[in-house]
């Protein structure tokens, strides 16, 4: 039989999460963000569940080609725009919309020969200080684009750095909202402001004469069932469902005596006689090596924890005290690293990420190519986070 690790993508959860974001911003259109191979879930796997979105947003031209090959004829937005001048040829051929965030991209458009004018999203750096034109330079960039015959419609976009927190006043977005509103107040064109966190936390608010959610919202991590502002809110608080389960099985059970160690480096010492389960999952599968003892797992639907250091292909979990009346665990028993257990319990990926000192994005995107995937079309049973 194959090694028992498996990642399962839950299509009903994806549909549910998409509808949840659409309800949060009912007057806006929604980009389903599928960059990084749909946050590790697989572009082709998630597409059937997300095709009710108004458009798809991503980074790579190759991913855009894959979407068109799936017969998606709606909008596709390149979130970082073109990386070199010749990318515009593919934008023309595939009818891609693209972000413009620097003068060089405008130069490339000015030199581009096309029969089909491009739809562009002019990006403003409202405080993230990553991509985009600063407020003082935005109008000049807009005027250059507006004068080009290669450009059709110009939309306006920005990205919040702290929509998931209360930093800088009004839940982290006030200073950027003020900068964006001041710089764009009389410019025409559609707006896109909200990512997952801003959509769930702020989309119903008003900005000037229109909703903060504006014309387009960008649904990213929330589509995949992670709370964008964890730990302030859990995924259940936002009525999100996990779109991926990473599960494996016990391949060995050991009894460890008090004072004995487990794993490389002897970082875990048994405080008493205990049972240890060995699970077919390691850092070569994408599980974070820096996850330490105490990181939660589910064994047969019951919450337990990692012990010792993660190996390339294995990790160890606590199966409890070695007592005669302890529930037996045996080779083949299910171990859920995150997601849904067949026994009805749920372990949110956010909790695992927090215990490992990282974020859910990294765990989902890091699942290795050697891990097989399966699709699940079934409606989830009523589940609760394992206590």
């Amino acid at each position: 039989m194959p090694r028992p690790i498996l990642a399962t993508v839950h299509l009903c959860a994806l549909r549910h999460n998409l509808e949840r974001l659409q309800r949060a911003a009912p007057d806006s259109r929604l980009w389903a963000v599928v960059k990084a191979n749909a946050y590790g879930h697989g572009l082709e796997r998630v597409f059937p569940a997300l095709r009710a979105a108004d458009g798809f947003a991503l980074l790579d031209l190759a991913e855009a080609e894959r979407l068109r090959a799936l017969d998606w004829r709606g909008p596709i937005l390149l979130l970082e725009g073109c990386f070199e001048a010749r990318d515009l040829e593919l934008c023309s051929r595939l009818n891609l919309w693209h972000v413009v965030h620097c003068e060089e991209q405008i130069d490339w458009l000015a030199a581009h020969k096309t029969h089909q004018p491009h739809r562009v999203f002019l990006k403003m750096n409202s405080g993230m200080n990553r991509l985009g034109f600063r407020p003082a330079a935005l109008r000049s960039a807009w005027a250059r684009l507006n004068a080009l015959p290669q450009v059709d419609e110009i939309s306006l976009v920005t990205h919040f750095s702290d929509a998931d927190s209360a930093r800088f006043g009004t839940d982290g977005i006030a200073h950027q909202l003020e900068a964006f509103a001041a710089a764009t107040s009389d410019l025409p064109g559609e707006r896109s402001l909200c990512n997952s966190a801003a959509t769930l936390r702020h989309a119903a608010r008003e900005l000037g004469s229109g909703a903060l959610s504006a014309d387009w919202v960008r649904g990213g991590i929330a589509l995949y069932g992670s709370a964008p502002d964890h730990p302030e809110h859990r995924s259940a608080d936002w009525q999100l469902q996990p779109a991926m389960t990473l599960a494996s099985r016990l391949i060995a059970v050991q009894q460890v005596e008090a004072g004995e160690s487990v794993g490389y480096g002897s970082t875990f010492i048994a405080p008493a006689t205990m049972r240890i389960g060995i699970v077919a999952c390691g850092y070569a599968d994408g599980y974070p090596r820096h996850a330490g003892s105490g990181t939660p797992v589910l064994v047969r639907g019951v919450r337990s924890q990692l012990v010792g250091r993660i190996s390339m292909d294995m990790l160890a979990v606590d199966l409890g005290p070695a007592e005669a009346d302890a529930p037996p665990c045996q080779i083949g028993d299910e171990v859920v690293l995150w997601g849904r257990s067949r026994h009805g319990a749920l372990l949110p990926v956010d909790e695992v990420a927090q215990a490992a000192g990282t974020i859910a994005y990294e765990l989902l995107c890091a699942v290795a190519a050697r891990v097989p995937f399966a699709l699940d079309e079934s409606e989830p049973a009523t589940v609760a986070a394992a206590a």
Side-chain angles (χ1 to χ4, degrees):
M1 64 174 289
R3 187 163 170 267
I5 191 169
L6 180 67
T8 301
V9 174
H10 305 290
L11 298 181
C12 287
L14 287 164
R15 294 188 185 98
H16 168 89
N17 297 336
L18 175 62
E19 292 169 0
R20 173 68 183 90
L21 286 170
Q22 289 170 327
R23 290 198 305 273
D27 297 323
S28 301
R29 285 171 286 173
L30 185 138
W31 294 109
V33 181
V34 290
K35 62 182 180 177
N37 199 27
Y39 289 56
H41 293 66
L43 182 58
E44 286 77 9
R45 285 187 284 267
V46 306
F47 175 72
L50 297 180
R51 66 180 310 155
D54 299 288
F56 287 90
L58 40 72
L59 301 184
D60 295 331
L61 288 166
E63 289 182 331
E65 287 185 291
R66 288 161 59 190
L67 265 178
R68 290 296 187 221
L70 293 169
D71 202 29
W72 173 254
R73 299 185 181 182
I76 297 175
L77 177 65
L78 297 177
L79 288 167
E80 294 179 1
C82 297
F83 299 105
E84 60 180 359
R86 64 179 180 177
D87 292 346
L88 289 166
E89 299 171 9
L90 197 57
C91 289
S92 294
R93 181 163 64 82
L94 297 179
N95 190 25
L96 305 181
W97 301 1
H98 50 99
V99 164
V100 171
H101 61 77
C102 63
E103 293 287 352
E104 288 80 0
Q105 290 175 326
I106 302 178
D107 294 339
W108 299 339
L109 272 165
H112 178 55
K113 293 181 173 59
T114 180
H115 298 292
Q116 182 71 31
H118 288 236
R119 173 76 177 270
V120 300
F121 277 65
L122 178 60
K123 186 158 193 175
M124 177 178 159
N125 175 11
S126 59
M128 181 76 165
N129 291 320
R130 202 171 57 178
L131 298 178
F133 293 90
R134 287 186 174 275
L138 187 75
R139 288 180 176 275
S140 175
W142 185 91
R144 284 194 66 196
L145 288 170
N146 191 51
L148 293 179
Q150 295 90 338
V151 173
D152 182 10
E153 187 173 345
I154 305 171
S155 300
L156 300 165
V157 61
T158 196
H159 189 67
F160 297 127
S161 59
D162 295 280
D164 58 347
S165 71
R167 194 171 176 225
F168 293 117
T170 312
D171 292 323
I173 64 173
H175 68 300
Q176 289 188 253
L177 279 176
E178 292 169 5
F180 183 83
T184 66
S185 59
D186 59 346
L187 291 179
E190 295 183 338
R191 269 71 166 157
S192 178
L193 302 173
C194 291
N195 58 3
S196 286
T199 299
L200 291 172
R201 293 170 66 107
H202 311 299
R205 296 185 178 179
E206 294 296 313
L207 171 63
S209 60
L212 168 61
S213 53
D215 302 284
W216 290 90
V217 296
R218 305 185 300 275
I221 192 65
L223 284 177
Y224 306 97
S226 170
D229 56 353
H230 184 86
E232 182 179 344
H233 292 96
R234 302 169 302 160
S235 55
D237 295 330
W238 293 122
Q239 299 90 48
L240 300 172
Q241 297 177 3
M244 182 196 292
T245 294
L246 181 65
S248 188
R249 297 187 179 277
L250 295 179
I251 59 172
V253 177
Q254 301 281 353
Q255 179 165 309
V256 178
E257 303 300 324
E260 292 187 331
S261 66
V262 177
Y264 285 121
S266 299
T267 60
F268 178 82
I269 306 296
T273 302
M274 61 189 299
R275 296 171 302 154
I276 299 297
I278 306 303
V279 183
C281 179
Y283 61 76
D285 300 299
Y287 197 85
R289 183 179 181 274
H290 53 273
S293 296
T295 301
V297 298
L298 301 177
V299 180
R300 298 199 310 182
V302 177
R303 184 175 288 246
S304 185
Q305 61 183 3
L306 302 183
V307 295
R309 187 173 289 169
I310 307 298
S311 300
M312 178 182 285
D313 310 303
M314 291 174 280
L315 55 81
V317 297
D318 181 2
L319 298 182
E323 299 173 354
D325 59 349
C329 287
Q330 58 188 358
I331 291 175
D333 281 347
E334 177 198 61
V335 178
V336 170
L337 289 312
W338 63 72
R340 302 178 192 166
S341 168
R342 294 186 296 107
H343 300 269
L346 172 65
L347 178 59
V349 66
D350 297 306
E351 289 189 35
V352 180
Q354 183 180 18
T358 185
I359 56 176
Y361 301 71
E362 182 177 10
L363 298 191
L364 297 172
C365 292
V367 175
R370 77 173 185 171
V371 175
F373 273 78
L375 293 179
D376 171 31
E377 282 274 15
S378 63
E379 291 283 351
T382 301
V383 295

